[in-house]
Amino acid sequence: MTETLPTGTQTAPSADALELLGLVAQLELVAFARLASDAALAPTLAQRLELTRFAATSVERRDRVLARVAELGGDPEAVLGSFAHVLDDFDARTAPSTWWERLLTAYVGYGVADDFCRHAATSLDEESRALVLDVLGDVGHTDLAVAELDVARADDEVLVSRLALWGRRLVGEALGVVQSLLATRPGLARLAAAADGAQGGDGAARLFGELTAQHTRRMGRLGLTA
């Protein structure tokens, strides 16, 4: 059964909703591990403290999503586990070699996956949609990355050029992850298609155009060429 949403979309069947919630929960689990790793490598104590706080928040966000999975009748561990390796190839292809590349990877690379989840969440039931948007709306770590990168690149044109190249590599790999998800996860493909249908446009072309535009805005915020 479906219910009519104010936006004109239709509520996703529970199986599709569980698929997206599983992906969001996995992204938060990955964020926890990444932030903990970043904290261990951070140049200053203040950065280490801040990053560990963000890591702890990722756990809380993950658990909120998994609680919603249980409410919808899903098995939280099974739903989460089905996405256990979703970013393995991305991480292998984009291993950062510097602290600045690490910050940009978190801001730009993982940002594409978050944008995809926001897009697909348009087709969820109201409660699940609100949860996903709230969980992905926490920008504390993003603000830290932007502030640190702004300071670093201010008087270093070589770093600016390197980070611009790194950002282009990141977005290419991240869009590849989205393509793979659409090809192998029917529930996510249906949610994305429903969101595209509600907004008009040419399906996948609209989605990837939107993701690319968001990437360009992120790079622009740093004064980097996308």
Side-chain angles (χ1 to χ4, degrees):
M1 178 178 293
T2 61
E3 63 180 87
T4 301
L5 300 176
T7 58
T9 61
Q10 293 294 312
T11 300
S14 292
D16 294 357
L18 291 175
E19 195 155 82
L20 180 58
L21 292 170
L23 175 58
V24 174
Q26 178 62 25
L27 292 177
E28 292 301 325
L29 181 59
V30 169
F32 164 76
R34 184 182 71 250
L35 289 164
S37 177
D38 288 351
L41 297 172
T44 70
L45 177 58
Q47 291 168 338
R48 290 195 288 275
L49 290 172
E50 195 71 3
L51 288 165
T52 54
R53 293 187 188 103
F54 292 140
T57 302
S58 293
V59 174
E60 185 270 336
R61 292 197 300 260
R62 178 204 64 194
D63 288 348
R64 288 174 60 202
V65 176
L66 293 179
R68 181 59 181 161
V69 168
E71 289 173 359
L72 293 175
D75 180 336
E77 288 190 15
V79 169
L80 178 64
S82 70
F83 286 98
H85 302 290
V86 68
L87 292 179
D88 283 4
D89 286 344
F90 174 83
D91 288 336
R93 292 174 182 273
T94 60
S97 60
T98 69
W99 173 247
W100 312 118
E101 287 183 358
R102 182 176 288 272
L103 287 178
L104 194 63
T105 299
Y107 176 50
V108 171
Y110 293 98
V112 173
D114 288 350
D115 288 338
F116 170 72
C117 290
R118 291 187 190 93
H119 179 89
T122 303
S123 304
L124 294 178
D125 63 274
E126 183 176 353
E127 186 172 349
S128 297
R129 181 173 64 252
L131 173 62
V132 169
L133 295 179
D134 184 53
V135 163
L136 297 179
D138 187 337
V139 296
H141 182 235
T142 291
D143 289 342
L144 172 65
V146 170
E148 294 291 334
L149 288 166
D150 272 344
V151 172
R153 69 176 181 79
D155 298 309
D156 192 336
E157 289 301 320
V158 173
L159 179 61
V160 169
S161 297
R162 288 177 176 172
L163 289 178
L165 287 173
W166 185 245
R168 288 194 281 275
R169 179 177 177 183
L170 289 171
V171 73
E173 296 292 347
L175 290 175
V177 172
V178 174
Q179 288 179 320
S180 178
L181 286 170
L182 293 174
T184 61
R185 301 282 180 162
L188 296 181
R190 283 190 291 268
L191 291 174
D196 288 327
Q199 297 173 18
D202 181 21
R206 178 183 178 88
L207 168 61
F208 284 94
E210 178 181 321
L211 296 177
T212 301
Q214 291 285 3
H215 166 72
T216 300
R217 282 191 282 274
R218 284 194 179 91
M219 295 290 280
R221 186 178 177 188
L222 292 171
L224 300 175
T225 303

